[in-house]
Amino acid sequence: MSKKGKSYILIGIIALIILLIVGIYFQSNNKTNIDNQKINITIDNSKLNIFYFYVGQADCTLIINEGQTMLIDTGDKTDGKLIANCLKQLGIEKIDYLIGTHSDDDHIGGMTDIVNNFEIGSLYMPLKEANNQSYIELSKNANIKRIEINDIINIGSANAIIKWVDNMGEYSDNNSSIVLQLNYKDKKYLFTGDIEKKVENELIKQNALEEIDILKVAHHGSNSSTSEKFLNEIKPKSVIISSGSTYSKFPNIECLKRILKLVDKENIFITERDGTIWITSDGETEDNIQKLNDINLDGANSKINQEELNSEYLESIQISMFSFLKKLLKI
């Protein structure tokens, strides 16, 4: 085929893809979120409960144990009211510990809504000033407390150990993230904010890591994080990735490939596909992991994509349309 013929084919395929994307966009924006849903969940307070909420391209995790609560990050600004509504439906009146892992909008954008709607016990963030609006607004309206590496927070009989935080402003915003490990009897859960390989290597150097059960993957599955060396140190049995639209750049294909070397495909949970992930644990037997596709707290983007994780999804998620078409047409 001539170069001119290939060009016409390429233009035609691109046009079809644009039409497809436009159609998906309008269809997906008929989303259903928690504003017009009722949550029918019974929480067993004798067990550890962890909710990794679907908040689009953002982060928000709720931990409940023996009546005490910790909320790690609060999504972006459009998510705050939805998160607050969901927490109220779950019967929560007080957040004992509110954690802003770092100052990025997709982690603390909804925090003012939380502070305004709930009694807050303690609010912790890295003591590193930022100039984004979410941080400025929060710092004016809330008492941010200092937390240090090796500090321990008790959530019922579960213990959250601070593995990393940069209070001195020596690292980037992502690498200033609070990293904490939650220990509950025989089970261990690691929450990593947006740390990158630089801090992962520092944690390895400090012998701060141990084998865990469930990893909350850093930075939405970015290729800058979750190195093979890091994964080999912690050896997670399952991983949770909080990501947004299928057409976003996260999770990164190379990051997923590294995870798949250690973790079975069925133990990889991605919020854009699986929705909110709810874990209940007695601390001894195998964790109960449920996909709550109906709990959508994303205030900005499309409804949850519920397709099964397969090789086509993995291979296409980080390949640009143009590069993919060039490969397809062998141009």
Side-chain angles (χ1 to χ4, degrees):
M1 183 183 295
S2 68
K3 289 184 178 180
K4 187 175 182 180
K6 289 181 179 180
S7 296
Y8 283 133
I9 292 174
L10 180 58
I11 292 169
I13 292 175
I14 290 173
L16 287 172
I17 289 171
I18 291 172
L19 288 172
L20 178 61
I21 292 172
V22 170
I24 291 172
Y25 173 80
F26 284 110
Q27 182 181 14
S28 65
N29 272 273
N30 294 318
K31 69 174 185 287
T32 301
N33 58 41
I34 206 67
D35 270 347
N36 45 24
Q37 293 177 11
K38 294 295 182 183
I39 300 177
N40 295 311
I41 289 176
T42 301
I43 294 176
D44 184 349
N45 280 310
S46 69
K47 294 183 178 181
L48 175 69
N49 291 263
I50 308 176
F51 293 87
Y52 301 84
F53 290 121
Y54 174 66
V55 285
Q57 193 64 36
D59 262 309
C60 183
T61 305
L62 173 67
I63 300 169
I64 306 172
N65 187 231
E66 297 175 4
Q68 289 199 302
T69 57
M70 173 183 281
L71 188 66
I72 304 174
D73 292 327
T74 56
D76 62 34
K77 196 169 185 66
T78 64
D79 305 328
K81 291 181 180 178
L82 300 179
I83 295 168
N85 186 18
C86 177
L87 297 182
K88 289 176 181 178
Q89 289 200 50
L90 291 173
I92 293 171
E93 297 177 351
K94 178 181 179 181
I95 307 295
D96 294 289
Y97 306 102
L98 180 57
I99 306 287
T101 57
H102 61 299
S103 62
D104 284 359
D105 287 329
D106 59 333
H107 289 256
I108 66 164
M111 197 165 283
T112 298
D113 285 306
I114 301 303
V115 170
N116 289 341
N117 280 279
F118 297 91
E119 179 186 352
I120 305 298
S122 298
L123 166 57
Y124 297 111
M125 280 190 66
L127 295 185
K128 177 181 178 179
E129 291 189 1
N131 57 11
N132 59 309
Q133 190 59 39
S134 295
Y135 179 82
I136 293 170
E137 185 177 349
L138 180 66
S139 61
K140 287 181 179 178
N141 299 316
N143 178 26
I144 301 174
K145 296 182 179 180
R146 185 185 187 98
I147 198 164
E148 300 284 359
I149 295 173
N150 294 325
D151 281 355
I152 298 176
I153 301 173
N154 298 316
I155 313 166
S157 57
N159 300 317
I161 304 168
I162 305 303
K163 295 288 187 175
W164 179 263
V165 61
D166 171 29
N167 287 315
M168 306 302 294
E170 298 177 354
Y171 291 78
S172 66
D173 287 341
N174 285 344
N175 281 324
S176 72
S177 293
I178 293 173
V179 176
L180 65 88
Q181 179 177 307
L182 183 72
N183 294 342
Y184 180 60
K185 299 180 183 178
D186 297 334
K187 300 293 182 177
K188 295 178 174 63
Y189 310 86
L190 190 62
F191 302 86
T192 53
D194 275 357
I195 63 164
E196 298 169 342
K197 294 172 186 176
K198 182 176 182 178
V199 169
E200 292 175 359
N201 289 335
E202 189 64 31
L203 289 169
I204 293 170
K205 181 180 176 181
Q206 295 177 6
N207 294 316
L209 300 174
E210 55 187 303
E211 293 185 16
I212 62 167
D213 293 277
I214 295 180
L215 168 67
K216 169 66 174 54
V217 174
H219 202 194
H220 319 289
S222 166
N223 194 36
S224 65
S225 309
T226 321
S227 66
E228 188 168 354
K229 185 178 180 182
F230 178 74
L231 287 168
N232 285 332
E233 285 287 325
I234 61 175
K235 294 181 172 59
K237 297 179 178 65
S238 300
V239 303
I240 315 290
I241 302 174
S242 182
S243 65
S245 166
T246 305
Y247 297 103
S248 73
K249 62 181 180 179
F250 299 127
N252 177 272
I253 180 63
E254 297 303 324
C255 178
L256 286 169
K257 287 178 178 178
R258 292 194 293 271
I259 292 170
L260 281 165
K261 289 181 180 179
L262 285 175
V263 181
D264 293 336
K265 185 172 70 174
E266 58 269 21
N267 292 327
I268 299 173
F269 300 90
I270 304 174
T271 58
E272 66 159 300
R273 181 199 68 209
D274 301 318
T276 292
I277 307 301
W278 178 23
I279 294 175
T280 53
S281 174
D282 61 10
E284 298 169 352
T285 59
E286 186 175 351
D287 288 341
N288 181 31
I289 305 178
Q290 299 182 56
K291 303 175 184 180
L292 304 179
N293 287 298
D294 291 336
I295 298 185
N296 178 355
L297 308 185
D298 178 16
N301 293 318
S302 63
K303 74 169 71 172
I304 300 163
N305 173 5
Q306 300 178 33
E307 293 180 359
E308 288 299 319
L309 182 65
N310 53 40
S311 60
E312 287 80 16
Y313 176 81
L314 288 176
E315 291 296 336
S316 66
I317 204 163
Q318 188 56 26
I319 302 172
S320 71
M321 287 291 186
F322 186 67
S323 296
F324 179 75
L325 287 170
K326 284 179 67 176
K327 181 179 178 181
L328 183 67
L329 296 173
K330 298 180 180 179
I331 295 174

PDB file of all heavy atoms in Angstrom, residues 48 157-159 181-189 210-214 237 281-287:
ATOM      1  N   LEU A  48     -12.146  -4.993  61.393  1.00  0.00           N
ATOM      2  CA  LEU A  48     -11.549  -3.863  60.685  1.00  0.00           C
ATOM      3  C   LEU A  48     -12.274  -3.678  59.360  1.00  0.00           C
ATOM      4  O   LEU A  48     -12.497  -4.637  58.618  1.00  0.00           O
ATOM      5  CB  LEU A  48     -10.071  -4.128  60.429  1.00  0.00           C
ATOM      6  CG  LEU A  48      -9.322  -3.082  59.592  1.00  0.00           C
ATOM      7  CD1 LEU A  48      -9.169  -1.780  60.370  1.00  0.00           C
ATOM      8  CD2 LEU A  48      -7.961  -3.616  59.161  1.00  0.00           C
ATOM      9  N   SER A 157      -8.244  -1.313  68.066  1.00  0.00           N
ATOM     10  CA  SER A 157      -7.096  -2.174  68.361  1.00  0.00           C
ATOM     11  C   SER A 157      -6.136  -2.282  67.188  1.00  0.00           C
ATOM     12  O   SER A 157      -5.177  -3.053  67.234  1.00  0.00           O
ATOM     13  CB  SER A 157      -7.587  -3.566  68.753  1.00  0.00           C
ATOM     14  OG  SER A 157      -8.389  -4.130  67.727  1.00  0.00           O
ATOM     15  N   ALA A 158      -6.373  -1.492  66.122  1.00  0.00           N
ATOM     16  CA  ALA A 158      -5.446  -1.426  64.992  1.00  0.00           C
ATOM     17  C   ALA A 158      -4.455  -0.293  65.226  1.00  0.00           C
ATOM     18  O   ALA A 158      -4.791   0.730  65.835  1.00  0.00           O
ATOM     19  CB  ALA A 158      -6.216  -1.203  63.692  1.00  0.00           C
ATOM     20  N   ASN A 159      -3.233  -0.474  64.732  1.00  0.00           N
ATOM     21  CA  ASN A 159      -2.186   0.529  64.917  1.00  0.00           C
ATOM     22  C   ASN A 159      -1.684   1.030  63.568  1.00  0.00           C
ATOM     23  O   ASN A 159      -1.277   0.232  62.720  1.00  0.00           O
ATOM     24  CB  ASN A 159      -0.998  -0.063  65.694  1.00  0.00           C
ATOM     25  CG  ASN A 159      -1.398  -0.554  67.065  1.00  0.00           C
ATOM     26  OD1 ASN A 159      -2.145   0.122  67.771  1.00  0.00           O
ATOM     27  ND2 ASN A 159      -0.928  -1.740  67.447  1.00  0.00           N
ATOM     28  N   GLN A 181       1.583   2.432  57.684  1.00  0.00           N
ATOM     29  CA  GLN A 181       1.260   1.002  57.667  1.00  0.00           C
ATOM     30  C   GLN A 181       0.282   0.714  58.789  1.00  0.00           C
ATOM     31  O   GLN A 181       0.529   1.035  59.952  1.00  0.00           O
ATOM     32  CB  GLN A 181       2.521   0.165  57.844  1.00  0.00           C
ATOM     33  CG  GLN A 181       2.244  -1.348  57.863  1.00  0.00           C
ATOM     34  CD  GLN A 181       3.508  -2.158  57.956  1.00  0.00           C
ATOM     35  OE1 GLN A 181       4.426  -1.988  57.157  1.00  0.00           O
ATOM     36  NE2 GLN A 181       3.581  -3.050  58.947  1.00  0.00           N
ATOM     37  N   LEU A 182      -0.838   0.106  58.425  1.00  0.00           N
ATOM     38  CA  LEU A 182      -1.860  -0.252  59.403  1.00  0.00           C
ATOM     39  C   LEU A 182      -1.690  -1.721  59.769  1.00  0.00           C
ATOM     40  O   LEU A 182      -1.758  -2.597  58.901  1.00  0.00           O
ATOM     41  CB  LEU A 182      -3.248  -0.011  58.800  1.00  0.00           C
ATOM     42  CG  LEU A 182      -4.435  -0.266  59.735  1.00  0.00           C
ATOM     43  CD1 LEU A 182      -4.514   0.823  60.797  1.00  0.00           C
ATOM     44  CD2 LEU A 182      -5.737  -0.329  58.942  1.00  0.00           C
ATOM     45  N   ASN A 183      -1.484  -1.979  61.045  1.00  0.00           N
ATOM     46  CA  ASN A 183      -1.352  -3.345  61.542  1.00  0.00           C
ATOM     47  C   ASN A 183      -2.589  -3.708  62.355  1.00  0.00           C
ATOM     48  O   ASN A 183      -2.970  -2.978  63.281  1.00  0.00           O
ATOM     49  CB  ASN A 183      -0.114  -3.476  62.440  1.00  0.00           C
ATOM     50  CG  ASN A 183       1.181  -3.272  61.677  1.00  0.00           C
ATOM     51  OD1 ASN A 183       1.221  -3.366  60.446  1.00  0.00           O
ATOM     52  ND2 ASN A 183       2.252  -2.980  62.399  1.00  0.00           N
ATOM     53  N   TYR A 184      -3.200  -4.819  61.998  1.00  0.00           N
ATOM     54  CA  TYR A 184      -4.375  -5.299  62.736  1.00  0.00           C
ATOM     55  C   TYR A 184      -4.216  -6.797  62.952  1.00  0.00           C
ATOM     56  O   TYR A 184      -4.350  -7.587  62.017  1.00  0.00           O
ATOM     57  CB  TYR A 184      -5.656  -5.000  61.954  1.00  0.00           C
ATOM     58  CG  TYR A 184      -6.913  -5.465  62.643  1.00  0.00           C
ATOM     59  CD1 TYR A 184      -7.266  -4.986  63.904  1.00  0.00           C
ATOM     60  CD2 TYR A 184      -7.757  -6.392  62.034  1.00  0.00           C
ATOM     61  CE1 TYR A 184      -8.412  -5.408  64.541  1.00  0.00           C
ATOM     62  CE2 TYR A 184      -8.919  -6.822  62.653  1.00  0.00           C
ATOM     63  CZ  TYR A 184      -9.240  -6.331  63.909  1.00  0.00           C
ATOM     64  OH  TYR A 184     -10.389  -6.768  64.546  1.00  0.00           O
ATOM     65  N   LYS A 185      -3.854  -7.156  64.155  1.00  0.00           N
ATOM     66  CA  LYS A 185      -3.550  -8.546  64.496  1.00  0.00           C
ATOM     67  C   LYS A 185      -2.495  -9.084  63.531  1.00  0.00           C
ATOM     68  O   LYS A 185      -1.383  -8.568  63.495  1.00  0.00           O
ATOM     69  CB  LYS A 185      -4.839  -9.385  64.500  1.00  0.00           C
ATOM     70  CG  LYS A 185      -5.864  -8.902  65.520  1.00  0.00           C
ATOM     71  CD  LYS A 185      -7.141  -9.748  65.500  1.00  0.00           C
ATOM     72  CE  LYS A 185      -8.172  -9.220  66.469  1.00  0.00           C
ATOM     73  NZ  LYS A 185      -9.432  -9.993  66.447  1.00  0.00           N
ATOM     74  N   ASP A 186      -2.833 -10.085  62.708  1.00  0.00           N
ATOM     75  CA  ASP A 186      -1.838 -10.670  61.803  1.00  0.00           C
ATOM     76  C   ASP A 186      -1.789  -9.989  60.434  1.00  0.00           C
ATOM     77  O   ASP A 186      -0.979 -10.376  59.592  1.00  0.00           O
ATOM     78  CB  ASP A 186      -2.143 -12.161  61.584  1.00  0.00           C
ATOM     79  CG  ASP A 186      -2.048 -12.973  62.859  1.00  0.00           C
ATOM     80  OD1 ASP A 186      -1.305 -12.543  63.772  1.00  0.00           O
ATOM     81  OD2 ASP A 186      -2.714 -14.019  62.959  1.00  0.00           O
ATOM     82  N   LYS A 187      -2.628  -8.992  60.209  1.00  0.00           N
ATOM     83  CA  LYS A 187      -2.753  -8.375  58.885  1.00  0.00           C
ATOM     84  C   LYS A 187      -2.051  -7.024  58.827  1.00  0.00           C
ATOM     85  O   LYS A 187      -2.024  -6.276  59.803  1.00  0.00           O
ATOM     86  CB  LYS A 187      -4.231  -8.197  58.510  1.00  0.00           C
ATOM     87  CG  LYS A 187      -5.025  -9.496  58.466  1.00  0.00           C
ATOM     88  CD  LYS A 187      -4.554 -10.391  57.335  1.00  0.00           C
ATOM     89  CE  LYS A 187      -5.381 -11.656  57.251  1.00  0.00           C
ATOM     90  NZ  LYS A 187      -4.974 -12.512  56.111  1.00  0.00           N
ATOM     91  N   LYS A 188      -1.528  -6.693  57.628  1.00  0.00           N
ATOM     92  CA  LYS A 188      -0.796  -5.445  57.430  1.00  0.00           C
ATOM     93  C   LYS A 188      -1.240  -4.793  56.121  1.00  0.00           C
ATOM     94  O   LYS A 188      -1.332  -5.459  55.084  1.00  0.00           O
ATOM     95  CB  LYS A 188       0.712  -5.703  57.412  1.00  0.00           C
ATOM     96  CG  LYS A 188       1.269  -6.219  58.744  1.00  0.00           C
ATOM     97  CD  LYS A 188       2.756  -6.485  58.633  1.00  0.00           C
ATOM     98  CE  LYS A 188       3.346  -6.852  60.001  1.00  0.00           C
ATOM     99  NZ  LYS A 188       2.766  -8.089  60.525  1.00  0.00           N
ATOM    100  N   TYR A 189      -1.485  -3.480  56.185  1.00  0.00           N
ATOM    101  CA  TYR A 189      -1.972  -2.717  55.034  1.00  0.00           C
ATOM    102  C   TYR A 189      -1.104  -1.469  54.894  1.00  0.00           C
ATOM    103  O   TYR A 189      -0.868  -0.754  55.873  1.00  0.00           O
ATOM    104  CB  TYR A 189      -3.434  -2.303  55.243  1.00  0.00           C
ATOM    105  CG  TYR A 189      -4.323  -3.464  55.652  1.00  0.00           C
ATOM    106  CD1 TYR A 189      -4.433  -3.825  57.002  1.00  0.00           C
ATOM    107  CD2 TYR A 189      -5.040  -4.192  54.716  1.00  0.00           C
ATOM    108  CE1 TYR A 189      -5.234  -4.893  57.397  1.00  0.00           C
ATOM    109  CE2 TYR A 189      -5.848  -5.256  55.100  1.00  0.00           C
ATOM    110  CZ  TYR A 189      -5.939  -5.603  56.439  1.00  0.00           C
ATOM    111  OH  TYR A 189      -6.729  -6.654  56.821  1.00  0.00           O
ATOM    112  N   GLU A 210       8.234  -4.055  55.439  1.00  0.00           N
ATOM    113  CA  GLU A 210       8.074  -5.477  55.706  1.00  0.00           C
ATOM    114  C   GLU A 210       6.995  -6.035  54.790  1.00  0.00           C
ATOM    115  O   GLU A 210       6.306  -5.285  54.100  1.00  0.00           O
ATOM    116  CB  GLU A 210       7.712  -5.715  57.171  1.00  0.00           C
ATOM    117  CG  GLU A 210       6.494  -4.951  57.648  1.00  0.00           C
ATOM    118  CD  GLU A 210       6.286  -5.079  59.144  1.00  0.00           C
ATOM    119  OE1 GLU A 210       6.173  -6.228  59.616  1.00  0.00           O
ATOM    120  OE2 GLU A 210       6.223  -4.047  59.834  1.00  0.00           O
ATOM    121  N   GLU A 211       6.860  -7.325  54.764  1.00  0.00           N
ATOM    122  CA  GLU A 211       5.849  -7.937  53.906  1.00  0.00           C
ATOM    123  C   GLU A 211       4.453  -7.564  54.400  1.00  0.00           C
ATOM    124  O   GLU A 211       4.199  -7.561  55.610  1.00  0.00           O
ATOM    125  CB  GLU A 211       6.026  -9.450  53.868  1.00  0.00           C
ATOM    126  CG  GLU A 211       7.316  -9.877  53.185  1.00  0.00           C
ATOM    127  CD  GLU A 211       7.447 -11.374  53.043  1.00  0.00           C
ATOM    128  OE1 GLU A 211       6.423 -12.079  53.198  1.00  0.00           O
ATOM    129  OE2 GLU A 211       8.576 -11.849  52.757  1.00  0.00           O
ATOM    130  N   ILE A 212       3.571  -7.240  53.450  1.00  0.00           N
ATOM    131  CA  ILE A 212       2.230  -6.771  53.796  1.00  0.00           C
ATOM    132  C   ILE A 212       1.173  -7.603  53.070  1.00  0.00           C
ATOM    133  O   ILE A 212       1.481  -8.395  52.171  1.00  0.00           O
ATOM    134  CB  ILE A 212       2.055  -5.278  53.448  1.00  0.00           C
ATOM    135  CG1 ILE A 212       2.212  -5.073  51.939  1.00  0.00           C
ATOM    136  CG2 ILE A 212       3.031  -4.418  54.232  1.00  0.00           C
ATOM    137  CD1 ILE A 212       1.758  -3.729  51.457  1.00  0.00           C
ATOM    138  N   ASP A 213      -0.059  -7.390  53.477  1.00  0.00           N
ATOM    139  CA  ASP A 213      -1.168  -8.098  52.832  1.00  0.00           C
ATOM    140  C   ASP A 213      -1.746  -7.294  51.671  1.00  0.00           C
ATOM    141  O   ASP A 213      -1.948  -7.841  50.588  1.00  0.00           O
ATOM    142  CB  ASP A 213      -2.263  -8.403  53.864  1.00  0.00           C
ATOM    143  CG  ASP A 213      -1.790  -9.408  54.894  1.00  0.00           C
ATOM    144  OD1 ASP A 213      -1.852 -10.609  54.589  1.00  0.00           O
ATOM    145  OD2 ASP A 213      -1.330  -8.995  55.975  1.00  0.00           O
ATOM    146  N   ILE A 214      -2.005  -5.999  51.895  1.00  0.00           N
ATOM    147  CA  ILE A 214      -2.641  -5.193  50.851  1.00  0.00           C
ATOM    148  C   ILE A 214      -1.907  -3.865  50.708  1.00  0.00           C
ATOM    149  O   ILE A 214      -1.648  -3.167  51.688  1.00  0.00           O
ATOM    150  CB  ILE A 214      -4.129  -4.945  51.156  1.00  0.00           C
ATOM    151  CG1 ILE A 214      -4.877  -6.275  51.108  1.00  0.00           C
ATOM    152  CG2 ILE A 214      -4.743  -3.954  50.158  1.00  0.00           C
ATOM    153  CD1 ILE A 214      -6.352  -6.194  51.395  1.00  0.00           C
ATOM    154  N   LYS A 237      -0.065  -9.255  48.797  1.00  0.00           N
ATOM    155  CA  LYS A 237      -0.939 -10.308  48.278  1.00  0.00           C
ATOM    156  C   LYS A 237      -2.003  -9.722  47.348  1.00  0.00           C
ATOM    157  O   LYS A 237      -2.457 -10.380  46.410  1.00  0.00           O
ATOM    158  CB  LYS A 237      -1.601 -11.054  49.439  1.00  0.00           C
ATOM    159  CG  LYS A 237      -0.615 -11.777  50.357  1.00  0.00           C
ATOM    160  CD  LYS A 237      -1.351 -12.471  51.491  1.00  0.00           C
ATOM    161  CE  LYS A 237      -0.401 -13.238  52.396  1.00  0.00           C
ATOM    162  NZ  LYS A 237       0.535 -12.350  53.124  1.00  0.00           N
ATOM    163  N   SER A 281     -12.017  -7.387  57.806  1.00  0.00           N
ATOM    164  CA  SER A 281     -11.000  -8.319  58.277  1.00  0.00           C
ATOM    165  C   SER A 281     -11.166  -8.614  59.758  1.00  0.00           C
ATOM    166  O   SER A 281     -11.446  -7.711  60.556  1.00  0.00           O
ATOM    167  CB  SER A 281      -9.604  -7.729  58.020  1.00  0.00           C
ATOM    168  OG  SER A 281      -8.595  -8.551  58.582  1.00  0.00           O
ATOM    169  N   ASP A 282     -10.981  -9.877  60.111  1.00  0.00           N
ATOM    170  CA  ASP A 282     -10.927 -10.239  61.535  1.00  0.00           C
ATOM    171  C   ASP A 282      -9.484 -10.278  62.021  1.00  0.00           C
ATOM    172  O   ASP A 282      -9.209 -10.612  63.174  1.00  0.00           O
ATOM    173  CB  ASP A 282     -11.625 -11.573  61.789  1.00  0.00           C
ATOM    174  CG  ASP A 282     -10.986 -12.742  61.039  1.00  0.00           C
ATOM    175  OD1 ASP A 282      -9.884 -12.579  60.465  1.00  0.00           O
ATOM    176  OD2 ASP A 282     -11.601 -13.826  61.015  1.00  0.00           O
ATOM    177  N   GLY A 283      -8.555  -9.953  61.112  1.00  0.00           N
ATOM    178  CA  GLY A 283      -7.145  -9.888  61.469  1.00  0.00           C
ATOM    179  C   GLY A 283      -6.425 -11.209  61.465  1.00  0.00           C
ATOM    180  O   GLY A 283      -5.214 -11.258  61.692  1.00  0.00           O
ATOM    181  N   GLU A 284      -7.155 -12.283  61.170  1.00  0.00           N
ATOM    182  CA  GLU A 284      -6.545 -13.613  61.238  1.00  0.00           C
ATOM    183  C   GLU A 284      -6.794 -14.424  59.964  1.00  0.00           C
ATOM    184  O   GLU A 284      -5.864 -14.917  59.342  1.00  0.00           O
ATOM    185  CB  GLU A 284      -7.074 -14.363  62.467  1.00  0.00           C
ATOM    186  CG  GLU A 284      -6.708 -13.668  63.790  1.00  0.00           C
ATOM    187  CD  GLU A 284      -7.451 -14.247  64.970  1.00  0.00           C
ATOM    188  OE1 GLU A 284      -8.366 -15.075  64.771  1.00  0.00           O
ATOM    189  OE2 GLU A 284      -7.128 -13.866  66.122  1.00  0.00           O
ATOM    190  N   THR A 285      -8.065 -14.554  59.580  1.00  0.00           N
ATOM    191  CA  THR A 285      -8.380 -15.312  58.374  1.00  0.00           C
ATOM    192  C   THR A 285      -8.308 -14.401  57.148  1.00  0.00           C
ATOM    193  O   THR A 285      -8.042 -13.208  57.249  1.00  0.00           O
ATOM    194  CB  THR A 285      -9.786 -15.939  58.496  1.00  0.00           C
ATOM    195  OG1 THR A 285     -10.749 -14.895  58.699  1.00  0.00           O
ATOM    196  CG2 THR A 285      -9.845 -16.909  59.660  1.00  0.00           C
ATOM    197  N   GLU A 286      -8.559 -14.982  55.986  1.00  0.00           N
ATOM    198  CA  GLU A 286      -8.443 -14.227  54.737  1.00  0.00           C
ATOM    199  C   GLU A 286      -9.411 -13.045  54.704  1.00  0.00           C
ATOM    200  O   GLU A 286     -10.573 -13.156  55.100  1.00  0.00           O
ATOM    201  CB  GLU A 286      -8.731 -15.159  53.548  1.00  0.00           C
ATOM    202  CG  GLU A 286      -8.507 -14.515  52.192  1.00  0.00           C
ATOM    203  CD  GLU A 286      -8.691 -15.506  51.058  1.00  0.00           C
ATOM    204  OE1 GLU A 286      -8.831 -16.715  51.341  1.00  0.00           O
ATOM    205  OE2 GLU A 286      -8.711 -15.067  49.890  1.00  0.00           O
ATOM    206  N   ASP A 287      -8.913 -11.900  54.238  1.00  0.00           N
ATOM    207  CA  ASP A 287      -9.750 -10.705  54.145  1.00  0.00           C
ATOM    208  C   ASP A 287     -10.914 -10.925  53.186  1.00  0.00           C
ATOM    209  O   ASP A 287     -10.780 -11.605  52.166  1.00  0.00           O
ATOM    210  CB  ASP A 287      -8.933  -9.507  53.640  1.00  0.00           C
ATOM    211  CG  ASP A 287      -7.958  -8.992  54.684  1.00  0.00           C
ATOM    212  OD1 ASP A 287      -8.140  -9.300  55.870  1.00  0.00           O
ATOM    213  OD2 ASP A 287      -7.015  -8.274  54.301  1.00  0.00           O
TER     214      ASP A 287
END
